[in-house]
Amino acid sequence: MKIRTLEYFIREAFSSLRHNSLMSVASVSTVALSLLILGLFLVMVLNLNHMASALESQVQISVYLQDNLTAQEMRAIGEQITKLPGVIQVTFVSKDEALARFKQRLGEQQGLLTALGDTNPLPNSYEIKVDKPENVKPVAQAAEKIKGVENARFGQEVVDRLFHLTRMVRIFGVVIIIFLALAALFIIANTIRITVFARRKEIGIMKYVGATDWFIRWPFLIEGMILGFGGALIAVVLLNETYAVLTEQVYESLAFLPLIPKRPFLTNLSIVLLVLGTTIGALGSTISLKRFMKV
């Protein structure tokens, strides 16, 4: 494509935007709103997914030992557990340490333990962390079969519910994101369709004098890309400001929530939205021009 021809296409695109300034502003605003909602929902889904993954990684297995074991036997059990596939950390918790933790959890209600006297009913145990959440159950089952192990617990019901919630968030998120992207595509397609309809006679004359379909398409294609990029740019600016404020508020009041850090998360998300907005604009123009390009 010649530079002069490209300049003509760009001039035509901006000329159309000026002549339909009210519709262009409305279109950019609507696209910006659609992509902002899409971006905010994407941020929410990705952060929920991040939180779920963080919770999954914190799930640990407690392996309780029998009471009549010697120190050497307990060390041997620990070595066997360490060799299990997927195990990344094994921590021994003595009876005394387990009782101290239990008292700390009780807080002001520690008086409930006075009836025990000097007796410690809690067993020695090992706390196990695995590399992937999917390995929690098989590692617990394997550890339970080791001689000298009383039982292994990992809160199976909680883990199963957590995995189910994570799957649902991912599936629901993908469906909503696709729906919002299609909504933005529909908005741009209709905006370009109105512009094309207003210039249908001009398009007919251009075809009559021998202009190729692509020569007619390019100005409208560029116009759609400008509308999509403009809307995406506004959405990106608002999304960055909103997420910056949100993370500051969360870190001040709910510091334990594992939010995704602003950088490079927002940079990558901004690039995705800008590319998506421009692509949607181009697709919208292509869809709108299809019926007018027919002979």
Side-chain angles (χ1 to χ4, degrees), residues 35-149:
L35 291 179
L36 177 61
I37 295 171
L38 173 63
L40 288 171
F41 193 83
L42 195 57
V43 165
M44 183 184 73
V45 169
L46 291 174
N47 271 286
L48 283 174
N49 188 47
H50 181 71
M51 290 178 193
S53 298
L55 289 173
E56 286 174 355
S57 65
Q58 290 172 14
V59 173
Q60 65 180 17
I61 306 163
S62 294
V63 177
Y64 299 104
L65 309 181
Q66 295 173 357
D67 287 332
N68 57 349
L69 298 177
T70 64
Q72 186 176 356
E73 288 173 328
M74 287 189 287
R75 281 196 299 272
I77 292 172
E79 290 173 2
Q80 290 182 66
I81 292 173
T82 304
K83 294 176 182 178
L84 292 174
V87 174
I88 58 173
Q89 183 179 332
V90 178
T91 306
F92 178 71
V93 180
S94 66
K95 294 164 63 84
D96 295 337
E97 185 179 349
L99 183 61
R101 288 182 183 181
F102 187 53
K103 287 180 179 179
Q104 189 175 9
R105 284 198 207 103
L106 289 175
E108 296 179 357
Q109 297 181 328
Q110 291 184 20
L112 297 172
L113 299 176
T114 53
L116 296 175
D118 295 329
T119 306
N120 183 354
L122 300 179
N124 295 306
S125 64
Y126 280 102
E127 291 178 345
I128 307 171
K129 288 187 178 180
V130 296
D131 54 354
K132 293 186 291 188
E134 294 80 8
N135 287 331
V136 170
K137 190 173 182 179
V139 168
Q141 291 173 340
E144 205 165 25
K145 293 176 183 177
I146 296 173
K147 186 179 178 181
V149 172

Side-chain angles (χ1 to χ4, degrees), residues 207-238:
K207 286 181 68 68
Y208 184 75
V209 298
T212 63
D213 285 352
W214 275 110
F215 188 86
I216 298 170
R217 285 177 194 268
W218 270 112
F220 295 105
L221 193 64
I222 294 171
E223 182 181 349
M225 292 171 70
I226 291 171
L227 290 172
F229 182 83
L233 187 61
I234 294 171
V236 162
V237 172
L238 293 174

